[in-house]
Amino acid sequence: MNNITSYIKENKERFLNELQELLKIPSISADSAYSKDVLKTAEVIKISLSKAGCNLVEIHETAGYPIVYGEKIIDPKLPTVLVYGHYDVQPPDPIKLWDSPPFEPVIKKTALHPDGAIFARGACDDKGQMYMHVKALEFMTETDQLPCNVKFMIEGEEEVGSNNLALFVKENRNKLKNDIILISDTGMIANDVPSITTGLRGLSYVEVEITGPNRDLHSGLYGGAVANPINILSKMIASLHDENNHITIPGFYDKVEELSKAERAEMAKAPFSLDEYRKALDIDAVYGEEGYTTNERNSIRPTLDVNGIWGGYIGEGAKTVIASKAYAKISMRLVPNQDWEEITELFSKHFETIAPKGVTVKVTPHHGGQGYVTPIDTIGYQAANKAYTKTFGIPAIPQRSGGSIPIVSLFEEELESKTILMGFGLDSDAIHSPNEHFGVWNYLKGIETIPYFYKYFTEMNRS
Ligand code: BES
Ligand code: MN
Ligand code: MN
């Protein structure tokens, strides 16, 4: 890849400005009040893909938000890379905790990003990381160095479960035909410790509703004499973990893949400081399943967490009341071989079983997806590793992530190709949180590394 560093140096300001323009559009897929903005973002992506050199760009309508498709086919005999990313973002709430408005990007220095980081919702997840691929393509077309074919599939519903993308993939197998899928929507260990994500956890997300009496009651007149849905819900949730923090749902662990001692020892080699981890989060101790390390707890082990809980009176002052209903949103992160629909079923049955008389339970599944693991002895992984070695000066460490991109397992099923997860964000970049940011250095390093992946992947396919 000739001139990649000089190309980036010369175009750095423009690369940053273009991304900031994209970040100004509040493409919040979860909130219908922003639907115009989500649609506008798809248009902007379409234009940027055609400017970057795609010779075909299309917007595919779905029952939800559209999918932007672009391609540059230079020779059908050459390999094809399919890039996936998403242009939708999480809601910015709680907005008060942002130091600057979430859709007015600013560049500020941080301890981990001495060259500055772009602060905005979506900076890292995933607009910034997705846009690295657009700029990498621009470089390769502008300098006549695109070594293979490329297809882009950028969706607008990742943060709400990718429901319509699944159908699009099933109906467009031929169009999406590829030799490798490339995604930047994960992270890496540190700027001087490059890593390639080799696993994603699956997910089952449910909402529960506990109903007690048919109306809200005076907590003096009725308190102690009827089941209080909030008390009961708290008790039921607390019972989902035992004293060792194992999940108590019968059958929950039946299919969990247990890693061998050797595999766990290999994992433990990745650089990690428990002290720094605690300090970064301002906690005096970590907490989790007995018998596993922090890095195991957040990658190779399944979990169950309450993501939200509500009911009763939460306004100012005190109101003495026993609410008729209580609610919670619960996520279960799953590991390979656990089936999300089966786990959702096990959860629902168990939650109904443990409810005492005097309340009724309703469980509503939201969305989910299977986990993913990818082997490292493939051309795709080796090409990615060679690209990191070239631009970081050291090889990448394979690492399983705790996050989920549920559609990835479906890609493998439907398109029969492997996915390479080249993430350039840091865990501390605060994705889904207030003050989300993405390092300027990381953004530019991504743009520099991606073209080498294309080069090595094409070369390795030839030999
Ligand atoms: N990009 C994230 C997933 C991610 C982040 C994986 C960092 C690994 C490292 C993605 O946008 C996301 O937030 N996924 C959701 C699931 C989705 C169905 C809403 C998640 O993991 O909670
Ligand atoms: Mn994402
Ligand atoms: Mn996300």
Side-chain angles (χ1 to χ4, degrees), residues 29-316:
S29 51
D31 188 344
S32 58
Y34 294 89
S35 64
K36 279 212 177 90
D37 296 295
V38 185
L39 296 171
K40 187 175 157 201
T41 310
E43 290 295 336
V44 173
I45 306 288
K46 180 184 167 201
I47 295 167
S48 69
L49 279 173
S50 81
K51 276 192 187 155
C54 283
N55 41 31
L56 172 72
V57 285
E58 298 166 341
I59 290 208
H60 287 267
E61 300 300 336
T62 72
Y65 288 121
I67 293 155
V68 187
Y69 176 82
E71 65 177 36
K72 187 171 176 73
I73 307 295
I74 53 173
D75 180 351
K77 286 196 277 316
L78 286 168
T80 300
V81 176
L82 173 65
V83 176
Y84 163 82
H86 62 95
Y87 64 83
D88 64 323
V89 301
Q90 285 275 323
D93 312 81
I95 218 139
K96 274 194 189 142
L97 296 183
W98 284 77
D99 296 329
S100 56
F103 298 106
E104 294 172 27
V106 285
I107 298 181
K108 284 187 293 187
K109 290 187 172 141
T110 73
L112 290 175
H113 296 297
D115 294 341
I118 309 166
F119 283 76
R121 170 58 84 231
C124 180
D125 184 11
D126 178 42
K127 284 176 177 165
Q129 297 213 66
M130 175 268 293
Y131 207 65
M132 298 180 315
H133 289 269
V134 181
K135 293 299 99 178
L137 173 64
E138 175 197 304
F139 161 74
M140 291 184 284
T141 31
E142 285 294 315
T143 62
D144 229 352
Q145 296 186 81
L146 181 66
C148 61
N149 306 308
V150 55
K151 295 176 178 176
F152 276 78
M153 174 170 62
I154 313 295
E155 72 153 320
E157 295 186 303
E158 196 277 342
E159 299 292 8
V160 289
S162 302
N163 287 339
N164 295 300
L165 184 65
L167 190 66
F168 177 77
V169 171
K170 284 182 189 163
E171 286 176 350
N172 290 279
R173 279 202 204 107
N174 216 21
K175 184 186 199 75
L176 300 171
K177 207 169 162 329
N178 66 81
D179 298 281
I180 195 81
I181 298 167
L182 186 59
I183 304 179
S184 294
D185 192 22
T186 57
M188 60 178 188
I189 296 176
N191 283 3
D192 55 354
V193 189
S195 57
I196 298 171
T197 307
T198 51
L200 293 163
R201 285 195 286 194
L203 181 69
S204 162
Y205 199 107
V206 299
E207 183 165 330
V208 299
E209 179 189 284
I210 305 288
T211 306
N214 61 6
R215 60 186 168 89
D216 287 7
L217 304 172
H218 188 288
S219 66
L221 299 183
Y222 289 91
V226 297
N228 174 336
I230 302 178
N231 290 8
I232 300 292
L233 176 61
S234 312
K235 232 185 190 171
M236 289 167 70
I237 287 172
S239 79
L240 296 175
H241 291 92
D242 69 12
E243 66 284 4
N244 292 318
N245 275 316
H246 291 301
I247 294 156
T248 55
I249 300 168
F252 187 85
Y253 291 101
D254 282 2
K255 294 190 176 164
V256 168
E257 166 208 52
E258 295 288 343
L259 267 65
S260 68
K261 271 201 176 133
E263 284 171 302
R264 290 176 69 184
E266 193 54 41
M267 266 189 77
K269 283 189 193 155
F272 176 73
S273 155
L274 195 57
D275 251 355
E276 277 171 31
Y277 187 84
R278 270 186 309 214
K279 244 184 236 150
L281 300 176
D282 271 327
I283 49 174
D284 57 4
V286 292
Y287 186 89
E289 189 182 3
E290 203 56 38
Y292 295 92
T293 65
T294 294
N295 273 338
E296 289 171 342
R297 287 171 179 167
N298 67 25
S299 64
I300 60 163
R301 299 298 296 167
T303 59
L304 183 152
D305 278 292
V306 178
N307 293 237
I309 182 162
W310 70 103
Y313 183 68
I314 51 165
E316 198 182 327

